[in-house]
Amino acid sequence: MAAYTSSSMLSAPSLRKSPPSSSLSSRLSLSSAFSFSVSLPRRRPPAPVFVVMSMDAKPTILVAEKLGEAGLKLLKDVANVDCSYNLSPEELCTKISLCDALIVRSGTKVTRDVFEASSGRLRVVGRAGVGIDNVDLAAATEHGCLVVNAPTANTVAAAEHGIALLTAMARNIAQADASVKAGKWERNKYVGVSLVGKTLAVMGFGKVGSEVARRAKGLGMQVIAHDPYAPADRARAIGVELVSFDEAIATADFISLHMPLTSATSKILNDQTFAKMKKGVRIVNVARGGVIDEEALVKALDAGIVAQAALDVFTEEPPPKDSKLILHDRVTVTPHLGASTMEAQEGVAIEVAEAVVGALRGELAATAVNAPMVPAEVLTELKPFVELAEKLGRLAVQLVAGGSGVKSVKVTYASARAPDDLDTRLLRAMTTKGLIEPISSVFVNLVNADFTAKQRGLRISEERIILDGSPESPLKSIQVQIANVESKFASAISESGDITVEGRVKDGIPHLTKVGSFEVDVSLEGSIILCRQVDQPGMIGKVGTILAEENINVSFMSVGRIAPRKQAVMAIGVDEQPNKECLKRIGEISAIEEFVFLKL
Ligand SMILES: NC(=O)c1ccc[n+]([C@@H]2O[C@H](COP(=O)([O-])OP(=O)(O)OC[C@H]3O[C@@H](n4cnc5c(N)ncnc54)[C@H](O)[C@@H]3O)[C@@H](O)[C@H]2O)c1
Ligand SMILES: O=C(O)[C@H](O)COP(=O)(O)O
């Protein structure tokens, strides 16, 4: 049998009420009405860290463009799937208010209007492909909507298409094919150019660009690349030299574009840059139409600066039928087919479906575009701390007295890990969620946490305490402090003058271990009653009796005190919410000086 001693400031034993038929706990009688037992470690499945929605109700996923069967099957296993293609912007806005997730390719513009029309229900946008320039990322982030893409499955298809365009252009395949089909036999007209020994400049040395470079080397080309962010050793490993933009465009016989469309790359090939190119240069674009100023390209073709162009992508898709560029006889075009192989489409569909389903389940997607990507192993070990961070935020903000504006919050992490070995973005985001959600109607998640905090004028600072010892566990404790506020539970104010709550993870379960200057130990499940009283015999029994009479189940109880018979704080974990009458009765116990009920 375990003996109960209420704790000093240093520690307090945690007491868990015995489950009705449990033989796991050793029982300890404290009063005639109550019996408690020392809690035993209890494991439970880790909670989702990116709470998007409950999967109890089947979510609805709108698939707005054709998606591979394997991906559709994954979606249909867990959700109601509405495949509606070719929606007008108005139809998309109407449908979206009934959807939890949306999956698109490059043909659907996911604008701010779409997020606004969703009224907060849309939680995930899945882009079945790489480019996310058709999704308004700022609006998604502001609405707490995660955007995921499928960044790897169509890389080879796009690279192969780039090479197909390169070779087809060099040998006039499309033009010659049309000529033969028109009954002609123009062998002299369609003399091409050789690739071997020519210089190819790969602009954007990412996934597709490096695969194009590898293949072009196999064709005997000299390959150079321009990419301000690519590591030189990766280029060197496949025998490619990274050069400046100007050197790349001035040296190249062929230029192949593989960068994303951003404000920096928009119209990066324009009148000025065409003027710097070698006369007779040939251009391939399987990236995005917007990286070329299309009018300037027509001029450069007509001026003979550009001998030929092969384009899969256009500023406007589909392009106008009378586009001079499309109709130019030295231009070869395809209708954005880079990712369109059977294999790539199946792969992309699976990649995006897994990311969307995972996100709806509350998992963080490794392919998140507007949220930090946290590797799965880091996520697994951080999960209970993420839950702890959110719950501490929730408790701290509920301790603030009405009228005190919360402006400044400090989160302190005590850890034996080196600073660069502990990614706290997730912890900060979930603390923010805990701080904001109980006092507003805003939905906060990893995507919009920083934005929402900033918008509300809430400054969240982070501090690290580096501990000696084993860095096996990522953290020893997390402390949340709210500065310059009054508390409805005065004992929650620590010596620093801030509302202070601190917690740890024990056996995978978050525990509250400090309130103000009082050390307690109560598992953060259900809700909590905090009472400050003059330490004296029978207090646990008195409160416990009232709760028992009101049929409130106590999960944990812990007392922290300054010294015997001095002030103490009792933390009681309860499974049900006590009604007003019950709380009033607790408040009427003469030794109780103050108390507060906090929802988790
Ligand atoms: N046509 C298609 O069907 C098709 C298919 C797949 C990808 N894409 C497009 O191809 C492009 C590349 O895709 P990816 O998967 O290789 O992406 P990626 O992110 O792996 O590579 C893009 C590279 O561009 C570089 N970059 C960024 N800004 C640059 C700049 N100013 N100058 C030079 N390089 C810059 C980046 O550092 C990165 O290395 C994207 O635009 C994507 O949308 C098109
Ligand atoms: O960015 C991409 O992944 C490609 O442009 C493919 O787009 P798509 O999915 O519309 O074919």
Side-chain angles (χ1 to χ4, degrees), residues 65 105-107 127-131 150 154 286-288 313 336 339-340 345:
E65 287 180 73
R105 287 179 63 185
S106 61
R127 161 66 170 106
V130 183
N154 68 21
V286 288
R288 282 293 176 269
V313 284
H336 201 148
S340 296
Q345 282 312 303

Side-chain angles (χ1 to χ4, degrees), residues 242-291:
L242 282 179
V243 298
S244 70
F245 179 86
D246 279 355
E247 186 180 342
I249 61 166
T251 320
D253 301 301
F254 292 81
I255 294 175
S256 193
L257 299 167
H258 300 289
M259 67 260 281
L261 176 61
T262 63
S263 52
T265 62
S266 174
K267 296 190 178 173
I268 200 164
L269 298 195
N270 52 42
D271 286 329
Q272 287 76 40
T273 51
F274 282 125
K276 293 179 185 168
M277 291 177 193
K278 241 188 198 179
K279 198 163 166 38
V281 66
R282 290 176 164 81
I283 292 176
V284 175
N285 188 8
V286 288
R288 282 293 176 269
V291 300

Side-chain angles (χ1 to χ4, degrees), residues 371-543:
M373 291 187 214
V374 186
E377 60 283 7
V378 175
L379 214 52
T380 306
E381 68 165 7
L382 276 186
K383 259 181 181 172
F385 297 96
V386 162
E387 201 186 333
L388 172 66
E390 181 182 346
K391 289 187 166 172
L392 289 175
R394 244 167 224 283
L395 290 185
V397 79
Q398 289 178 74
L399 287 164
V400 176
S404 319
V406 178
K407 289 272 173 266
S408 175
V409 175
K410 185 164 89 178
V411 189
T412 306
Y413 312 102
S415 167
R417 292 258 171 104
D420 60 0
D421 197 15
L422 179 65
D423 186 343
T424 61
R425 291 170 302 175
L426 202 51
L427 301 168
R428 183 181 70 233
M430 291 302 120
T431 309
T432 308
K433 178 180 173 71
L435 286 162
I436 293 178
E437 282 193 346
I439 54 167
S440 80
S441 56
V442 180
F443 168 88
V444 184
N445 61 17
L446 185 59
V447 176
N448 66 356
D450 287 346
F451 170 82
T452 311
K454 202 168 162 205
Q455 207 184 30
R456 299 178 66 91
L458 175 60
R459 195 178 152 269
I460 311 228
S461 60
E462 293 176 286
E463 205 171 285
R464 288 283 308 271
I465 297 175
I466 316 272
L467 303 172
D468 292 335
S470 156
E472 205 177 297
S473 168
L475 284 147
K476 185 168 178 225
S477 67
I478 301 176
Q479 187 182 75
V480 176
Q481 291 180 291
I482 306 183
N484 306 321
V485 286
E486 309 222 319
S487 177
K488 57 172 86 147
F489 186 70
S491 319
I493 306 268
S494 62
E495 292 94 7
S496 65
D498 305 327
I499 288 182
T500 302
V501 288
E502 189 175 301
R504 292 177 188 202
V505 170
K506 298 187 176 180
D507 297 313
I509 296 173
H511 280 233
L512 176 68
T513 52
K514 198 167 186 182
V515 176
S517 303
F518 292 87
E519 303 228 355
V520 294
D521 189 352
V522 57
S523 97
L524 289 171
E525 300 166 290
S527 294
I528 285 186
I529 300 172
L530 293 176
C531 305
R532 187 187 67 213
Q533 77 243 11
V534 179
D535 181 40
Q536 57 191 267
M539 286 305 295
I540 291 178
K542 276 183 192 164
V543 177

